[in-house]
Amino acid sequence: MEGFKAAFRNEMFKLFKRKKMNAAAILAILAVVIGQIAVTAAKHGLGLRIAGGTEFPLVVLSAFSYTLLPLFATFVAIDMFNGEFSSNTMKITLARPVSRLGAFSAKAATVAVFIAASLLFVMALSLAAGLLFNPSTAGWGGVARVMLSYGVTFLPVFVFSLLVVLLSNVIRGGLAVFFLSVLLFLGFLFLSVVFPNASSFLITSMFDWHALWISENINVFKIVRQGLIMTGFGVMLFTAGYTLFDRKDL
């Protein structure tokens, strides 16, 4: 456990030193600002009410979870594995008194922290913007719906990042992993439209999982079923990724 803690602190330090973190934060801020400007312009220019104070963060989440969040989670996952193998710094990581399971778990946990922190950052930003420009339509119930929606979105995005981690341990080139991840992402979206009955087994179709949690008629059976499917995928992808990582020659 001590080895995992040390490896996790090391991975977190390297994560915050990467310039991609600044780019992710800037793009997230721009997305929220542009979205709020569009909503305000439609309200005052056309007289249309697109989203209220606590509805605006949900609109942002629907766009964020399908674009910037999986994109930067993919970048981080690739950096964690392909980047270190390409720069030959993985030997230094594994030279420390930590098992390969500890090192792999620390890297996966760092990706999870990045996803959770990104969701928390965008939620706080969009909620503040929504309440600032539409305070009259906000309420504590709406705030709770926003927090629940952002919280449950973590699971499908993290499971998708474990798929990228698996690919990173199969293919050595980071660029190839990135393009293959994008193709899989788009392919899953296409298949979920063509074969809607099989969409429950395509992880990208569950990026809007939060909609089930906040609908007027909550389908508990569907929520539990999709949660179990995602958990099963996550366990299998983590195990397969670690097995390849453990057998990989440095």
Side-chain angles (χ1 to χ4, degrees):
M1 195 61 187
E2 290 301 321
F4 168 78
K5 290 180 180 178
F8 179 67
R9 285 196 295 269
N10 181 51
E11 295 299 334
M12 288 299 297
F13 177 79
K14 288 188 289 187
L15 177 66
F16 283 110
K17 287 294 181 181
R18 288 185 169 90
K19 293 181 180 177
K20 290 184 178 66
M21 298 304 100
N22 296 330
I26 292 171
L27 287 176
I29 293 171
L30 284 176
V32 173
V33 170
I34 292 172
Q36 186 58 61
I37 290 174
V39 169
T40 305
K43 179 181 177 181
H44 294 287
L46 303 175
L48 298 175
R49 180 180 175 276
I50 298 177
T54 54
E55 293 166 353
F56 176 67
L58 299 178
V59 174
V60 172
L61 176 62
S62 298
F64 182 62
S65 61
Y66 275 98
T67 52
L68 294 180
L69 184 57
L71 178 66
F72 278 97
T74 299
F75 281 143
V76 170
I78 291 173
D79 269 351
M80 289 284 165
F81 292 92
N82 296 89
E84 290 209 25
F85 277 116
S86 300
S87 59
N88 289 323
T89 56
M90 188 65 80
K91 293 179 180 178
I92 300 174
T93 300
L94 296 177
R96 296 185 175 90
V98 58
S99 64
R100 286 210 175 193
L101 177 59
F104 182 85
S105 301
K107 289 179 179 296
T110 304
V111 177
V113 169
F114 168 78
I115 295 170
S118 299
L119 285 167
L120 185 62
F121 178 68
V122 173
M123 182 188 74
L125 202 62
S126 58
L127 195 56
L131 295 177
L132 180 65
F133 287 94
N134 299 285
S136 60
T137 59
W140 287 112
V143 174
R145 282 160 50 91
V146 170
M147 295 176 71
L148 176 63
S149 299
Y150 276 78
V152 299
T153 302
F154 167 82
L155 182 58
V157 179
F158 179 59
V159 173
F160 178 75
S161 71
L162 288 177
L163 175 61
V164 179
V165 169
L166 174 64
L167 294 175
S168 298
N169 285 281
V170 174
I171 304 170
R172 195 171 185 86
L175 194 60
V177 174
F178 173 73
F179 281 113
L180 184 56
S181 300
V182 172
L183 286 176
L184 284 175
F185 182 85
L186 297 176
F188 286 166
L189 291 179
F190 175 76
L191 290 174
S192 64
V193 174
V194 177
F195 304 105
N197 292 333
S199 61
S200 296
F201 298 97
L202 302 170
I203 190 61
T204 53
S205 66
M206 302 183 202
F207 281 12
D208 60 352
W209 194 40
H210 67 276
L212 293 176
W213 290 77
I214 59 175
S215 64
E216 292 185 1
N217 298 316
I218 298 178
N219 189 335
V220 177
F221 174 75
K222 190 172 183 179
I223 291 175
V224 173
R225 180 167 61 87
Q226 291 194 352
L228 290 175
I229 290 173
M230 285 186 282
T231 304
F233 277 153
V235 172
M236 288 189 292
L237 291 169
F238 182 91
T239 304
Y242 166 66
T243 302
L244 293 172
F245 181 76
D246 188 43
R247 295 177 180 176
K248 206 159 189 174
D249 294 328
L250 299 177

